[in-house]
Amino acid sequence: TVVAWGSDTGACSTEEEFLAGVTGTGTEEDPYIIDTPEEFVYIVNYASTTSAGKFYKVADGISAFNMGCYAEDATAEEIKANLSGWNSYYFNADQTSFQGTFDGNGVVFYGVHNSSYHAGLFPKVSGTEVTIKNVTVASSYFNATGDAAGGLIGNVSATTVNIENCAVVNCYINGGTNVTRGSLAAQTSGTTTANINSCYIAGNLFD
């Protein structure tokens, strides 16, 4: 099942709205179950410290989240030539900083358009330990106006980051003169340990 942006008519920008729409308690044994793009955007763009130590997992049966800006099979060159004018979400310096564990359960995110200070599927991660696993980012655009642009993660400020079984393919990643670019993770700030296992990158374009 492909779930498209806009399928969920309810806003999701506060903890109360998020908890009202998901099942689970956020523990390792009973993670919060994510079944819409809007719920995902909440955890990367608003959750911040409330995500610390929490566990999130995409629902079984969801093959992809269509974020609305580019076709699933678009190449990086095609995206560069036809940039969308709509931003999927912005980096918010006060709130954007994922600090938990996210299990994509094999989901593909495609059609993301993220142009902000830090850019990435996860613009920034921080805290003690962050894990992102079982996620593919495809046919998306990440443009940093500040420091870091990455396909999966823009800025890593966590003490430990674990990236497992993830892929970034056919993404256009760019930024200004001083922007650090990368496929899986663009920039580390204070990270002491980075564990990257069983990941794949292909077809990405950097400017």
Side-chain angles (χ1 to χ4, degrees), residues 18-107:
F18 173 76
L19 293 176
V22 299
T23 59
T25 58
T27 65
E28 186 171 8
E29 298 77 18
D30 185 31
Y32 293 129
I33 300 300
I34 305 301
D35 55 16
T36 70
E38 287 84 354
E39 290 168 355
F40 172 76
V41 169
Y42 167 76
I43 71 171
V44 298
N45 217 44
Y46 297 103
S48 194
T49 56
T50 64
S51 66
K54 300 292 180 60
F55 291 78
Y56 305 80
K57 184 179 181 180
V58 173
D60 292 340
I62 296 179
S63 59
F65 281 143
N66 174 3
M67 303 302 285
C69 293
Y70 306 103
E72 186 175 12
D73 60 353
T75 66
E77 290 77 10
E78 289 170 338
I79 292 170
K80 180 180 179 179
N82 298 280
L83 290 177
S84 169
W86 184 74
N87 221 8
S88 300
Y89 48 91
Y90 295 89
F91 171 78
N92 180 326
D94 294 327
Q95 296 177 298
T96 303
S97 183
F98 182 67
Q99 301 181 30
T101 294
F102 181 80
D103 181 354
N105 200 15
V107 76

Side-chain angles (χ1 to χ4, degrees), residues 176-202:
T177 303
N178 297 319
V179 169
T180 304
R181 303 162 182 81
S183 294
L184 291 170
Q187 179 189 67
T188 59
S189 303
T191 300
T192 56
T193 303
N195 302 306
I196 301 175
N197 296 294
S198 302
C199 293
Y200 175 78
I201 57 175

Side-chain angles (χ1 to χ4, degrees), residues 4 17 43 48 72 81 104 110 123 128-129 135 146 152 154 176 178 194 196 206:
E17 290 168 343
I43 71 171
S48 194
E72 186 175 12
Y110 71 88
T128 303
E129 183 170 7
V135 175
L152 185 65
N178 297 319
I196 301 175
F206 301 88

